[in-house]
Amino acid sequence: GNAGNSGQRPWELLMEREHFRLWRRPIPGSALFQYRVFGSYTDVTPRQFFNVQLDTEYRKKWDSLVLKLDVVERDPATGSEVIHWVTQFPYPMYSRDYVYVRRYSVDSDRNLMVLVSRAVEHPGIPEDPEHVRVRTYESHMVIRPHRSFDENGFDYLLTYSDNPQTVFPRYCLSWMVSSGMPEFLEKLHSAALKAKKMELEVRDYLA
């Protein structure tokens, strides 16, 4: 084998749609996968797409799977937030709950935006027997404008891994994770378009 790739397996293309391509590769030493999405939109601005992702109040309106989505803690110095998110899973599974910290940054010099989330423990949010607590979750999105933050058009690269802790067979699990994300991204894009059309006051996280 090639010593340079430190035992990483190659990416396997799972899905190709008009606006994105989705790959996955096994995470060594586990039954889990890491996923990667490359996408491109020409009808919303990077700022709108970024803000709509960060606006938890707005997400409760457009994401029907959300049962709960609260900012538990905010660190004004770093701009990082601890979020508690409870989401429905397909019947007959229990809903899942995630406690994660998210950080975002805008790099004007390199003309890109970054949004990173990962699961954390938080004493203020004990486990609830009604939901399954997801302890392994990591997501990293880079948004690269075609021109500027306020002109239509950008590419994004999203890398994520998630362990929904289910006893369901693996093919079932990978179907959920791999079909759930494209569906979410399409909903996110529609929500950004709608915010743009209605000039909704989505909070500006760049301000």
Side-chain angles (χ1 to χ4, degrees):
N2 172 6
N5 67 7
S6 70
Q8 285 287 16
R9 311 281 284 278
W11 290 98
E12 167 200 359
L13 183 65
L14 284 187
M15 183 185 294
E16 199 156 357
R17 293 218 187 137
E18 191 190 345
H19 295 297
F20 56 78
R21 297 196 291 280
L22 170 73
W23 295 265
R24 73 172 186 186
R25 68 177 175 193
I27 296 172
S30 78
L32 301 174
F33 290 92
Q34 186 181 31
Y35 294 87
R36 175 169 278 180
V37 182
F38 175 80
S40 207
Y41 288 115
T42 53
D43 50 4
V44 286
T45 72
R47 187 191 296 260
Q48 285 153 344
F49 191 69
F50 190 70
N51 285 337
V52 165
Q53 260 182 106
L54 288 165
D55 193 318
T56 49
E57 288 309 302
Y58 182 36
R59 178 161 175 187
K60 290 174 190 176
K61 297 188 178 73
W62 62 262
D63 186 349
S64 58
L65 297 177
V66 167
L67 297 172
K68 185 179 181 177
L69 187 63
D70 296 323
V71 177
V72 180
E73 217 173 274
R74 198 176 260 127
D75 177 359
T78 62
S80 71
E81 295 170 321
V82 176
I83 311 266
H84 184 209
W85 169 39
V86 185
T87 183
Q88 287 174 26
F89 257 55
Y91 179 83
M93 285 180 280
Y94 282 102
S95 50
R96 294 295 184 266
D97 89 324
Y98 295 74
V99 180
Y100 64 93
V101 63
R102 74 174 183 191
R103 294 189 180 81
Y104 51 89
S105 59
V106 176
D107 186 336
S108 313
D109 299 334
R110 293 166 64 210
N111 198 33
L112 45 88
M113 300 154 140
V114 180
L115 180 55
V116 181
S117 301
R118 64 178 171 80
V120 288
E121 298 282 329
H122 193 283
I125 315 158
E127 277 192 67
D128 178 334
E130 296 204 354
H131 316 301
V132 176
R133 172 68 49 94
V134 175
R135 290 212 146 72
T136 311
Y137 167 67
E138 209 163 289
S139 156
H140 184 277
M141 182 181 276
V142 178
I143 297 171
R144 198 181 283 280
H146 291 164
R147 284 170 294 280
S148 73
F149 294 138
D150 291 300
E151 292 174 85
N152 282 356
F154 59 90
D155 299 333
Y156 67 85
L157 185 65
L158 168 66
T159 310
Y160 67 100
S161 55
D162 187 347
N163 178 7
Q165 275 148 326
T166 158
V167 293
F168 276 68
R170 260 186 19 215
Y171 69 86
C172 210
L173 173 62
S174 76
W175 172 81
M176 280 173 343
V177 180
S178 61
S179 65
M181 184 50 84
E183 212 168 286
F184 171 76
L185 288 162
E186 292 290 20
K187 282 196 287 195
L188 175 62
H189 173 238
S190 306
L193 272 178
K194 197 165 167 185
K196 180 184 175 179
K197 252 214 301 279
M198 295 159 57
E199 297 196 334
L200 286 177
E201 274 308 301
V202 173
R203 183 178 152 200
D204 186 8
Y205 286 81
L206 279 71

